[in-house]
Amino acid sequence: MSERKVGFIGLGKYLPENRLTNKDLEKIVDTTDEWIRERTGIRERRIAREDEATSDMAVHAAKAALKNAKLKPEDIDLIIVATITPDMFFPSTACIVQNRLGANHAPAFDISVACSGFIYGIAIANQFVKSGIYKRVLLIAAEKMSSVTDWKDRATCVLMGDGAGAAILGEVEDGGILSVYLGADGSKGDLLKMPAGGSRLPATASTVEGRLHFLKMQGNELFRHAVRIMANAALKAAEPLGLKGDDINLVIPHQANIRILNAVAKRMGINPAKKVYLNIDKYGNMSAASSAVALAEAVEEGRVKKGDIILLDAFGAGLTWGGIIIKW
Ligand code: ACO
């Protein structure tokens, strides 16, 4: 019997209404629109309402994906939420979403892989569908990065945004996921982390005073690794299929920084203006949600056609990374 082909049978996204522009940020920290645009490619980002949690955005994106797939919540066999900004430590955001959707018979769990969360989630969903254990997996990547952003730190607060993307994976007749490559390097975990709030440094008045419940990043050092690692992840995903840069119709990368993406494309011999999907200008870095929203938008805008070879490529805290090749 031939192996099951696993692909995307529905996509959805949700972006909060509130736009925070670079000009708005000029009033909050010592920065300029020009610095942010030139160093990152970001013009504005979306910020969730105070009363809007990660699960709220996840539910919106999931409903859009269900509608797109013409499925009902009870058709879902498993829910995975990729997030580093869960509503709370437990219960998982996936369980909160399961209840809100009424996807009553679906097991549900979160994964914590930072910006590579959507890629790792696809890898997990792929295995469950390929093995025949589950027919339809709902994968949501949702982040409220604004909740872990230090609005006094100009080096990080200009980078992040909030949002959610969702995908339903299931069996497809042709194409689908052709290759998956994942990686991690825990020795570089200190480059990007939220130090307090976990069992190592539980919340106390002094952790709050020390601003340790916010994301801390060594941007310069990360930048250096990001280019090398993302280019390598792309290569490792393409290699088993014998694909070269020219064979790839569209790269849909994690949207961390336009300069990283241009440098990665150059290393792969790909024209970034034509073959790299970008929405960082509108949304900034939404961690795991970035790749998920980018995929949903690329398809929505007709940038992905049947038969196209698509590369998803991500890199993030952990460090973690991954590349996935899909035939659409
Ligand atoms: N506005 C104005 N000046 C600023 C700002 C700002 N918002 N932020 C920093 N600067 C200043 C710095 O203080 C520094 O000043 P100095 O030279 O007087 O010391 C100068 O600008 C240069 O700072 P760098 O940090 O060297 O700037 P760089 O060109 O590296 O850009 C950036 C910073 C955008 C953060 C970049 O390093 C980057 O994108 N890094 C990678 C981020 C990434 O990939 N993260 C991983 C994924 S995220 C995740 O997993 C959740």
Side-chain angles (χ1 to χ4, degrees), residues 223 227 231 258-268:
F223 191 102
V227 175
I258 199 161
R259 289 185 294 140
I260 295 177
L261 304 184
N262 286 339
V264 171
K266 202 169 151 200
R267 284 199 186 190
M268 292 168 65

Side-chain angles (χ1 to χ4, degrees), residues 18-159:
N18 180 25
R19 290 180 157 83
L20 183 71
T21 65
N22 294 348
K23 285 278 174 208
D24 296 330
L25 279 165
E26 286 180 0
K27 294 174 205 143
I28 302 174
V29 285
D30 179 15
T31 191
T32 61
D33 170 47
E34 193 189 5
W35 192 96
I36 303 171
R37 270 190 292 109
E38 282 177 6
R39 297 288 177 123
T40 70
I42 303 167
R43 289 173 185 276
E44 60 180 40
R45 65 289 290 140
R46 302 295 182 91
I47 303 293
R49 294 188 317 269
E50 216 167 300
D51 67 350
E52 196 171 30
T54 294
S55 67
D56 300 319
M57 296 189 280
V59 166
H60 284 300
K63 284 184 176 169
L66 285 165
K67 192 172 172 204
N68 181 241
K70 298 187 177 64
L71 291 174
K72 295 189 207 64
E74 51 269 35
D75 298 324
I76 297 299
D77 302 311
L78 172 69
I79 299 174
I80 306 170
V81 174
T83 188
I84 51 168
T85 51
D87 287 24
M88 54 193 86
F89 266 178
F90 59 88
S92 68
T93 302
C95 281
I96 297 169
V97 169
Q98 186 243 33
N99 177 47
R100 294 266 304 278
L101 288 177
N104 298 332
H105 77 271
F109 61 87
D110 286 0
I111 57 170
S112 169
V113 203
C115 303
S116 315
F118 188 58
I119 305 291
Y120 269 60
I122 293 171
I124 298 167
N126 183 34
Q127 291 303 322
F128 274 119
V129 178
K130 196 179 270 187
S131 63
I133 294 174
Y134 297 124
K135 265 189 154 164
R136 297 182 198 96
V137 179
L138 170 62
L139 167 64
I140 310 163
E143 301 281 17
K144 186 174 178 179
M145 293 307 288
S146 63
S147 68
V148 293
T149 295
D150 185 346
W151 295 101
K152 289 188 171 172
D153 176 13
R154 69 172 182 176
T156 54
C157 76
V158 302
L159 304 173

Side-chain angles (χ1 to χ4, degrees), residues 245-251 274-276 303 307-310:
D246 272 354
D247 304 315
I248 292 164
N249 298 98
L250 190 66
V251 182
K274 288 194 175 147
K275 284 194 173 181
V276 178
R303 293 282 304 273
D308 277 359
I309 300 292
I310 307 299

Side-chain angles (χ1 to χ4, degrees), residues 307-318:
D308 277 359
I309 300 292
I310 307 299
L311 166 70
L312 299 181
D313 193 10
F315 160 84

